[in-house]
Amino acid sequence: MTVTELHVDKRNFASTRVQTRARTALAPGQVRLRVDLFALTANNITYAALGDEAHYWKYFPPGNASVQWGVLPVWGFASVIESRHPQLPDGERVYGFMPMSSEVVLEPARVNALAFFDGMGHRTGLHPVYNHYARCERDPLHAPDTEDVQAVLRPLFITSWLVSDLVEERRSGGACQVLISSASSKTAYGTALQLRAAGDGAVVGLTSRGNVAFCERLGCYDRVVAYDEVNNMDRDTPCIYVDYSGNGPLRMALHSHLRALRHSLAIGYTHVGRLGPPGHLSGPPVQVFSAPDRIRQRTAEWGGAEFSRRLTAAYAGLADFCVRPRSGGEPLLVIERHAGPAAVTQAYLQVLDGGSDPRVGRVAGLVVA
Ligand SMILES: NC(=O)c1ccc[n+]([C@@H]2O[C@H](COP(=O)([O-])OP(=O)(O)OC[C@H]3O[C@@H](n4cnc5c(N)ncnc54)[C@H](OP(=O)(O)O)[C@@H]3O)[C@@H](O)[C@H]2O)c1
């Protein structure tokens, strides 16, 4: 049997190749999983952009070790198809960090009824949040009939929720408007939805001109401003900037223009061609957000069970916002499926290119049924 992997050139993300290789035999304690479905969104492109500094290329080294090529991590569902681990039988369904591959070998450690961690040697020292796998049967966020939607939304909306929690904490000193860039991205509008529910101040979406109408229709922004209009915004309203774009010139423009900017949070990097501050920034320092660190902090403060309870409740509300039929009968989120190496490559390149319909959530799999 062979394994099919999609490789991405670490220095030129538009260059890809499909590789097949022979399976390796399982060692005692290991399991082989078939990667059935995973989502592709701008978040995965960020993993490529931060691949070296945040170690994303290290999670799934390609079959034949390569300096040039890497396997991009994605979030999705897989099933155990061969097991040498006593607690994880054939057929066990798992959710977590996956390679863009038809299969993956994991070495489950610290196994309990809900989850386990991958103990493969090359993942020692990598972030535990990404080494964690949920066992679907007992996972409170899992529903077997909505795996497509979960693959797309779950990794994003956890961050939406964590960021809105952080913003609430930052603005506890007084009402503050929140400006959110890449407002058409799922993580951004998930954040806006949470903040609107908290109701402590206006939420303004910043987006490209072509996505203004989409963001206005979402209904979770009090106002939507195109990127080329940000210099017309009121300068003296106290505000927090929540940046999902990573766009350096945009950040520079906002920091210069907004005299009452209180906090500037960097979370995402959707505008891969315009990353980084172009020079000295006025205003508050930029705080780089780390979801794994915030999860660790809140888990320590609230306890694991309470963290999970709050997250599950928030996720249910956010997912409902995306899947319930809207006035035209269509839900906000339109799932597009891509099966097999050629289709997955094309879907990946569409996400990399960025300029597509923000309603679409791409779900992919290298295994052709
Ligand atoms: N730190 C974390 O833990 C964490 C977790 C989840 C997500 N995020 C970040 O949040 C951001 C959004 O992720 P998502 O998966 O929710 O995105 P998504 O739904 O796939 O976002 C699509 C939107 O992103 C912008 N975009 C995407 N590619 C672009 C390109 N090549 N050029 C210009 N604009 C582009 C466009 O928005 P506009 O036109 O509105 O700019 C587009 O409508 C990502 O940067 C991701 O890394 C961070």
Side-chain angles (χ1 to χ4, degrees), residues 110-164:
R110 293 150 63 194
V111 182
N112 64 33
L114 295 175
F116 62 85
F117 290 83
D118 184 20
M120 292 288 272
H122 69 272
R123 290 175 75 164
T124 309
L126 295 176
H127 212 294
V129 162
Y130 298 121
N131 286 341
H132 178 272
Y133 289 85
R135 303 178 72 178
C136 295
E137 199 176 325
R138 297 276 301 277
D139 174 14
L141 290 177
H142 183 254
D145 51 341
T146 61
E147 286 187 344
D148 284 353
V149 171
Q150 289 168 67
V152 174
L153 298 182
R154 185 168 164 165
L156 308 179
F157 280 0
I158 289 177
T159 293
S160 303
W161 174 68
L162 291 167
V163 170
S164 61

Side-chain angles (χ1 to χ4, degrees), residues 228-267:
D228 54 10
E229 294 279 344
V230 295
N231 281 328
N232 298 332
M233 287 192 297
D234 179 75
R235 310 184 72 179
D236 296 309
T237 306
C239 59
I240 297 178
Y241 179 40
V242 175
D243 182 16
Y244 283 106
S245 73
N247 184 321
L250 174 67
R251 181 181 293 156
M252 182 74 140
L254 290 169
H255 274 244
S256 310
H257 179 69
L258 301 169
R259 284 192 287 237
L261 183 63
R262 301 279 188 259
H263 301 279
S264 182
L265 307 177
I267 296 119

Side-chain angles (χ1 to χ4, degrees), residues 41-44 46-47 130 155-156 159 181-188 206-208 211 215 227 244-245 267-272 289-292 351-356 358:
T41 72
N43 188 36
N44 304 103
T46 305
Y47 293 156
Y130 298 121
L156 308 179
T159 293
S181 64
S182 267
S184 64
S185 70
K186 297 162 194 70
T187 320
L206 310 179
T207 189
S208 37
N211 285 330
C215 290
Y227 293 130
Y244 283 106
S245 73
I267 296 119
Y269 304 89
T270 54
H271 294 190
V272 277
F289 173 82
S290 158
V351 175
L352 179 67
D353 187 42
S356 66

Side-chain angles (χ1 to χ4, degrees), residues 97-114:
F97 225 31
M98 301 289 167
M100 283 213 279
S101 173
S102 58
E103 297 182 3
V104 64
V105 172
L106 304 179
E107 197 168 302
R110 293 150 63 194
V111 182
N112 64 33
L114 295 175

